[in-house]
Amino acid sequence: MALIPVGGGRGVDPFEEFRRMQSEMNRMLERMPTARVEEFPPMNIWTGEEGIVVTMLVPGVEEGDVDITLQEDTLTIKGVRRPSDEGEGVTYHRRERSLGEFARSVVLPYRVDADKADAMFDGGVLGVRLARPEEDRPQHIKISGL
Amino acid sequence: MAKESRVPVKESEGRAVAEPEKIRTAPVFTPAADIREKPDGILVELDMPGADADSINVTFEKRTLSVYARGRSTKPSGYTLSHGEYRDGDYERSFTVSTLVDGGKIDASYSAGVLRLFLPFAKEAQARTIKVKTR
């Protein structure tokens, strides 16, 4: 059932403001995480009962150029993004991608088992899975019958 | 009864102008681009980490190079986000390209999250230089 604007389209539509705000919010949210972030590479930290997963966007970084170290409760991911060598006679028209070395450190909220850490690298996305030691995991307490 | 979603219509100077909405709710990002010119063509590199390689769409029409790709989710299942610096989303960007480029021979490859496009210059110089007469 089609809604006819109030006043045949020339009057005030009470929902106009809402729609305008919504589309403006959508545009703002789209613009925010562009590749021009101050921190390269951008990282998300996910927590769960089993431990922590850190995902990082590292396009153009070779697997061999990433160094992940875990010391006590600090995870450090270092690496370098190299420009592709195109030889002589090349001029840049646009340069928006940040190249060179990067290093990010994060202090984890709890200790993790370094032996069980594992990292995946796929399509420019690095994922580091850190397991919480068994004894540190939250214990579910059963409520016994009253 | 199915809900009908309406495209918002704005009246502007008597004409109704429809604002196109996205169908997908995922945000659309403009991938960062490095554009370099080599003697034999133009090299475009776009950062599109996490894109679904099968969904990458590169088109060249009327001097406009358009790139679109869907993003795959980087969310590990069973976990919640406690610190977020980026969002998952799709990628889209367009460029206007000079007429020297041979649109039919564009080479595209996607590796390690970077889409590399090479736009070769056309072999024959198609543009004829027109001398400007000055008085």
Side-chain angles (χ1 to χ4, degrees):
Chain A
M1 188 171 77
L3 289 168
I4 297 169
V6 174
R10 277 189 296 268
V12 173
D13 178 1
F15 294 108
E16 225 261 282
E17 191 72 47
F18 283 66
R19 280 199 291 265
R20 194 177 53 78
M21 267 169 44
Q22 186 168 42
S23 65
E24 267 190 68
M25 277 304 284
N26 284 340
R27 274 198 289 267
M28 267 168 56
L29 287 171
E30 282 173 45
R31 266 205 296 265
M32 257 160 41
T34 64
R36 287 177 205 82
V37 287
E38 271 86 36
E39 307 249 37
F40 176 81
M43 146 173 99
N44 282 357
I45 303 177
W46 309 82
T47 49
E49 272 194 19
E50 297 174 355
I52 297 172
V53 172
V54 176
T55 55
M56 196 179 258
L57 300 183
V58 283
V61 177
E62 303 286 319
E63 216 173 294
D65 284 334
V66 175
D67 179 56
I68 306 169
T69 47
L70 183 60
Q71 172 134 27
E72 295 194 6
D73 60 353
T74 303
L75 173 74
T76 302
I77 301 179
K78 286 202 290 216
V80 61
R81 179 146 92 138
R82 304 179 200 282
S84 62
D85 179 27
E86 297 299 326
E88 296 294 311
V90 180
T91 44
Y92 268 97
H93 284 297
R94 230 184 243 263
R95 186 134 173 222
E96 295 169 1
R97 299 159 72 225
S98 49
L99 301 167
E101 289 178 9
F102 60 86
R104 300 276 327 250
S105 260
V106 59
V107 177
L108 305 167
Y110 44 71
R111 57 181 197 147
V112 291
D113 195 339
D115 298 327
K116 296 219 200 78
D118 110 272
M120 297 87 57
F121 197 82
D122 181 37
V125 182
L126 172 70
V128 182
R129 193 182 296 265
L130 302 158
R132 208 169 180 178
E134 281 286 348
E135 51 285 0
D136 288 358
R137 290 189 194 178
Q139 307 292 329
H140 290 280
I141 300 167
K142 283 197 181 53
I143 301 171
S144 53
L146 294 165
Chain B
M1 179 166 90
K3 260 178 64 177
E4 194 185 49
S5 81
R6 254 190 100 223
V7 172
V9 172
K10 286 195 300 228
E11 285 264 42
S12 138
E13 294 157 13
R15 289 171 311 154
V17 175
E19 212 173 73
E21 277 183 48
K22 292 184 283 125
I23 295 169
R24 279 163 59 79
T25 49
V28 180
F29 302 122
T30 307
D34 278 353
I35 302 181
R36 289 184 274 184
E37 183 170 326
K38 298 170 63 171
D40 55 343
I42 294 181
L43 179 66
V44 180
E45 288 163 305
L46 295 142
D47 274 350
M48 304 192 336
D52 177 5
D54 295 329
S55 75
I56 299 178
N57 199 6
V58 179
T59 53
F60 186 73
E61 194 186 340
K62 289 193 174 72
R63 295 181 54 200
T64 300
L65 173 73
S66 298
V67 174
Y68 169 80
R70 290 220 178 140
R72 288 180 305 170
S73 168
T74 62
K75 177 190 189 300
S77 68
Y79 290 81
T80 49
L81 185 67
S82 60
H83 176 80
E85 292 173 3
Y86 72 85
R87 294 176 65 195
D88 290 332
D90 303 335
Y91 298 101
E92 188 166 354
R93 193 152 185 189
S94 303
F95 299 96
T96 305
V97 177
S98 94
T99 47
L100 295 171
V101 162
D102 186 346
K105 296 204 177 66
I106 293 177
D107 181 68
S109 62
Y110 180 69
S111 151
V114 178
L115 178 66
R116 248 172 137 250
L117 304 168
F118 183 65
L119 289 63
F121 292 136
K123 291 285 190 298
E124 318 85 38
Q126 278 158 354
R128 256 186 308 148
T129 324
I130 297 166
K131 270 187 94 117
V132 177
K133 293 188 264 287
T134 48
R135 217 178 266 275

